[in-house]
Every structure is written in C-alpha cells, then in structure tokens.
Amino acid sequence: MATTATTASTDKPEKPSDGELSPEAPRSPINERKLMAKIDWHVVPCLCLMYLLAFLDRVNISNAAILGLQEDLNIETGTKYNTALTIFFVPYIIFEIPSNILMKKLKPHLWLSLCMFGFGLVMVCQGLVQNWGGLMTTRWFLGMFETGLFPGCFYLMGMWYKRSEAQKRFSFFFSSTTLAGAFGGLLASGLGKMDGLRGYRGWRWVFIIEGVLTCVVAIICYFLVTDFPEDAKWLTEEEREFVREKLAADTGKAAPDADLTLRDVLSVFKDYKIFIGGWMYFGQVVTAYGYAYFAPTIIKTYGYGAIKTQLYSIPPWAAAFGFSMLVAFLSDKFRHRFAFAFIPMLIAMAGYGILLNIHGEAQRHVQYAALFLVTMGCYSAMPVLVCWFSMNLGGHRRRSVGTAWQIGFGNIGGIISTYSFLSKDAPLYRNGYIISLSFLCFSAAMAALYFVAVWFDNRRRDRAMANGTVDAQNNGAEEQEEQLGDMALTYRYNY
C-alpha cells in the first residue's frame, strides 16, 4: 500500500500554484546563448539610444557655442557661459539617489521614459531662450530631468547580467557618449547650415531639432524599455527562474521585494568602499566633461572654421568607441577590471602630456592626434570603473543606492570641468589640461585603492570561512544574506 501510494505520488505530482515552479516539474531545456541574445535585444539597444540622446542634449551646447550662441546671448566674455554649463550639475547631483528609489517603485519603463520626455521638452525651450537667464533656467531643468537616466540605466542593466557578462554591455551602453559626440558634431554641421531659416540662427535649430527628436523617441521607448527580471513579461516562467538562479549564483539573491527606507539608504554608507567608488569616478568626470564640453572650442584654435570644426570633432569620438569596445571585450575575456581601467588612464595621461608640451601651428596635427589619446583613454576607463563598482554591489538595495551615489558624487567633477577651460586661457588652455591631468591621476590612485580594498575584503572573508565564522554568523540564514548583498561573508568581489 505504501509503495503504491509513493508511485502514484510520483506519477501525478502536485500541481504548482500559479507563477511558481514545482521542483518536481520537468523544465524545458534553456539555451543560454539564445536567452542571452533575447535579453540583450530587450535591454541594451533601447537604453543605448536613450543615453545617446541624453548625452547629446547635455553637451550640444558646445556645438551651439561655435555657431553663435555666445554672441547672440551676449555671454562671449567672462564666465557666464561656464556658469550655464555648471548649473546643469546642481540638480543632476542632488536627485540621483531619489531618482533610483523612484525608478524601483514606478518601474523603469515608466520612469526612464518620463525623464527622457522631460529633458527633450526642455531642450526645445533652450532653443528659444533670449538671454542668459533663460539659458540658466533651461540648463537647470535639463539637469533635473536627466538625473535619473544614467544611474537608472546602469542599475537596470546590473540586475540582468552576471559580473563576467557585464563589461561588454556596460561599455557598449557607455559608448553612447562617444557616438553622441561624433553624431553631435555631424548633426551640428548640418543644422548649422539652417542658419536664418524661419528667422532662427543655426544654434537654435540644433536645440530645437534634437529636442523634438528626443521627445518622439521617449514616447516610443515607453513601450520598448524593459523592467527588472522579476517583472519582465517577455520572459517565460522557466526563463525567469533560470535568470534568477544564474544571477543568485553570481552575486547572491537580489531581494527584489525589500523595502528601501532612509535607514537602509544610510546603512549603505557604512561601507568605506562606497566612498572610494565615488572618488574614482569623480576624477574621471572632471577629465571627460572637460573634453566633451570644450572639444570644439579646442579644435577651433587649430585654425578651422565653424563647420569644419564640427566635422573635425567626429574622428576622436569614433576612435574612442572602437577602443572602448576592444577594452571591454578583453576585460570580460580575462574577467579582470583593474588593469583595463588603469591602462586606458595612462593613455589619456600621455595625450595630456603632448597637449601641454607641444604647441604652434606647425604641430597642429600632433596636437589633434593627442585628442585621440585623450578620448580613447578617458572614455574607455570610465565604463570599466562604473561596471566594476556597480557589479560588485549585491542586491537591489545596495546596487540602487551605490550606483546612484557613484554617479551623483562623481558628477560634482562636472562643476570643476566647466571652469577648467576659460576663454582667457585660449589658445593654449594650459590650466584646463593641468586640471584634467591632475584629476585623471587622482582617479587612477582611487582605482588602485579600490583594488586593494576589495582584495583585502576577499582575503578577510576567506579567513573567516576557514575559521568557521561564516557558519556561526549566518547559520544558513538565506534571507539575511539577501538583505546583506555584497556585505555577506559568503560574497566575493571581482577585481
């Protein structure tokens, strides 16, 4: 009788409840390669397009400056133009962490699309301003609406990929900045020829056309942007469970339903590594924005006209895209981050060394070549640093707060960069190059410090496990590990 009952139980397993896989239920075999391709198509392209337009809308003021913005608004002398660049970063820094918390509550597809439509509308208004006060107002609101996109996209992507899979995706996403730089120069060279159409100067058309394009794409992205794995309706239940288990094996369970209170946010900052992550990105931002905002201004000092300057700004960005993807491929292949962040920083340092020491019209081509080294180095190191730090954070709580902190604090460097290249320093811009090089060295030092910190924590946890401390503290408490994320003794950092 007992044997018969057992057999019957085996032949007719209890039906699992809705949305729950029974351990005894046979699973369809999952082809991981096809699943990853499916995830890539749903996650990466939309986010790349969104950030490309965000970065384009952020830095196209540098193209507009060459096309007459400063003269028309009477800000060609003094620091009013630099202040207009700076004001963007104030709300951009303040609202980073609140934005990631809101994205978790409202879902990524809604929050990111709202942010994008907002800054697209502001960009159109920026094309209609009549004075410096109007420009300052639109730059403030541009920063406020853009604040959610960059950390939100990194947070979302970080919840979809293992650490060994992430760098190629992160770098491809981040390389939207280099594509935006190249595309921005090309687009500005074309829109600049609309000068006088409908009574508007060419620089106004740069803002208006790019703003309208952003709003249209935002509406489309509302229907295309994916949510977190636990909410993605385009995954089957078997695929969702496969992704959940794969990510849990890599970084521990994410605790998707965990509340995020003020106490939880503040507890993240008890970990000193959080501050190091912000510092190493901070140094990079000074350098990267210094180039992004002033590249056309620098290139114009080589003797080119307005339209030719826009066209000459394209090749360094294109080279940076290709080099960044090469670095990302090698970083994932060798499953290592530190060296692939540090070496590009050395390349950028070499570029600044050339710019500081080689001058004169006869050496114009050497100076232009140095800009390739600067962009290739800076824009290859930045995504590695962000990916390395973000993917070392475990769980929704620590990753949402940690990524927003790194991006938010790091962008304080943008304020410094906007005052690095002043009109009075033209054409050599020695102060700007020295400031950029100094902060690049600072970033490299912080990256080395972070490497030592995660190596030390891994060794400490290895010793704790060898001594049996992990069993005494956790005692199989799986829920506690979910809440601790990367602070759990069983967690190991990548470097």
Side-chain angles (χ1 to χ4, degrees):
M1 292 292 291
T3 306
T4 304
T6 305
T7 305
S9 174
T10 305
D11 292 340
K12 297 180 179 180
E14 183 181 347
K15 185 179 179 180
S17 59
D18 291 342
E20 182 179 314
L21 277 178
S22 168
E24 292 84 9
R27 292 186 185 180
S28 304
I30 299 292
N31 185 319
E32 186 173 1
R33 184 182 294 272
K34 288 185 178 179
L35 176 58
M36 291 309 299
K38 180 179 179 181
I39 291 171
D40 285 340
W41 276 111
H42 279 85
V43 175
V44 179
C46 241
L47 299 185
C48 286
L49 180 59
M50 294 179 88
Y51 190 56
L52 185 151
L53 290 172
F55 194 79
L56 180 65
D57 289 353
R58 188 181 313 169
V59 303
N60 58 10
I61 190 172
S62 63
N63 303 111
I66 299 298
L67 296 172
L69 175 143
Q70 291 171 288
E71 292 82 359
D72 286 359
L73 300 185
N74 196 28
I75 57 173
E76 67 268 27
T77 58
T79 59
K80 284 188 173 182
Y81 174 72
N82 303 83
T83 306
L85 300 182
T86 302
I87 196 67
F88 167 89
F89 289 99
V90 178
Y92 192 78
I93 293 163
I94 293 172
F95 298 114
E96 295 273 0
I97 293 177
S99 174
N100 263 10
I101 295 172
L102 276 171
M103 190 177 86
K104 180 69 173 68
K105 294 181 181 295
L106 296 179
K107 306 301 182 188
H109 79 278
L110 173 60
W111 180 244
L112 296 178
S113 301
L114 279 175
C115 289
M116 187 176 189
F117 188 84
F119 66 72
L121 190 60
V122 171
M123 182 55 48
V124 175
C125 295
Q126 191 167 295
L128 304 174
V129 299
Q130 299 298 320
N131 50 47
W132 180 66
L135 182 64
M136 289 285 286
T137 303
T138 54
R139 292 292 294 178
W140 168 277
F141 282 103
L142 188 67
M144 191 171 74
F145 282 111
E146 282 202 25
T147 188
L149 198 69
F150 188 54
C153 289
F154 269 120
Y155 170 30
L156 177 60
M157 291 175 66
M159 302 311 296
W160 277 100
Y161 297 106
K162 287 166 50 179
R163 286 176 288 183
S164 60
E165 300 167 339
Q167 188 62 65
K168 290 189 292 290
R169 280 88 177 181
F170 271 56
S171 287
F172 188 78
F173 167 77
F174 196 91
S175 291
S176 302
T177 59
T178 60
L179 293 178
F183 180 61
L186 183 63
L187 191 58
S189 67
L191 296 177
K193 296 176 182 178
M194 295 174 65
D195 191 36
L197 184 65
R198 300 284 181 178
Y200 289 150
R201 292 290 307 274
W203 66 266
R204 294 188 183 276
W205 284 115
V206 170
F207 292 144
I208 293 170
I209 298 296
E210 292 177 8
V212 170
L213 176 63
T214 300
C215 289
V216 172
V217 172
I219 295 170
I220 297 171
C221 284
Y222 173 79
F223 301 98
L224 298 181
V225 171
T226 187
D227 291 325
F228 296 109
E230 57 270 16
D231 302 315
K233 295 180 175 60
W234 46 270
L235 288 177
T236 66
E237 187 57 40
E238 290 85 357
E239 290 171 336
R240 190 176 292 110
E241 183 64 21
F242 180 85
V243 171
R244 188 183 300 122
E245 290 178 356
K246 184 177 81 164
L247 297 178
D250 183 54
T251 59
K253 294 191 176 180
D257 300 321
D259 292 329
L260 194 58
T261 64
L262 178 60
R263 178 177 291 182
D264 296 321
V265 171
L266 294 177
S267 68
V268 173
F269 295 95
K270 293 179 181 179
D271 176 18
Y272 70 99
K273 296 188 299 297
I274 293 292
F275 296 97
I276 301 174
W279 292 336
M280 65 183 180
Y281 186 67
F282 168 80
Q284 284 288 314
V285 167
V286 176
T287 303
Y289 275 118
Y291 182 83
Y293 277 130
F294 296 101
T297 304
I298 293 168
I299 293 172
K300 190 178 180 181
T301 64
Y302 300 158
Y304 303 119
I307 300 300
K308 202 168 185 181
T309 293
Q310 309 288 2
L311 295 175
Y312 266 87
S313 71
I314 298 172
W317 290 112
F321 174 78
F323 187 69
S324 175
M325 294 312 302
L326 174 64
V327 168
F329 173 80
L330 294 174
S331 181
D332 270 352
K333 180 179 177 62
F334 292 102
R335 301 193 176 190
H336 182 78
R337 300 291 180 244
F338 173 65
F340 292 100
F342 199 80
I343 293 172
M345 284 191 264
L346 295 179
I347 293 173
M349 290 176 197
Y352 280 115
I354 293 171
L355 291 170
L356 279 168
N357 291 286
I358 295 181
H359 311 113
E361 189 174 345
Q363 303 296 330
R364 182 173 66 186
H365 299 301
V366 177
Q367 292 173 282
Y368 182 61
L371 298 182
F372 282 76
L373 298 180
V374 169
T375 51
M376 289 165 61
C378 291
Y379 288 91
S380 298
M382 287 181 78
V384 178
L385 292 178
V386 174
C387 179
W388 183 22
F389 178 75
S390 174
M391 297 304 290
N392 268 342
L393 297 169
H396 271 279
R397 281 179 174 174
R398 285 182 56 78
R399 189 165 289 171
S400 63
V401 176
T403 53
W405 154 258
Q406 185 189 39
I407 305 302
F409 178 81
N411 274 290
I412 295 174
I415 297 174
I416 298 171
S417 68
T418 57
Y419 286 101
S420 297
F421 293 84
L422 300 177
S423 56
K424 67 181 181 64
D425 296 328
L428 298 181
Y429 293 113
R430 286 189 61 83
N431 288 338
Y433 295 144
I434 291 171
I435 290 170
S436 297
L437 179 59
S438 299
F439 278 98
L440 192 58
C441 293
F442 175 77
S443 178
M446 290 301 102
L449 182 60
Y450 183 72
F451 171 80
V452 172
V454 294
W455 176 84
F456 176 80
D457 265 14
N458 281 354
R459 291 291 300 272
R460 179 178 58 80
R461 294 174 188 188
D462 288 341
R463 289 194 298 270
M465 289 188 70
N467 296 333
T469 308
V470 64
D471 295 328
Q473 286 192 8
N474 291 287
N475 196 24
E478 191 173 311
E479 184 178 347
Q480 184 186 16
E481 288 193 10
E482 288 184 32
Q483 303 299 328
L484 288 172
D486 60 285
M487 298 305 288
L489 285 174
T490 52
Y491 192 95
R492 293 297 178 273
Y493 294 107
N494 277 0
Y495 44 75

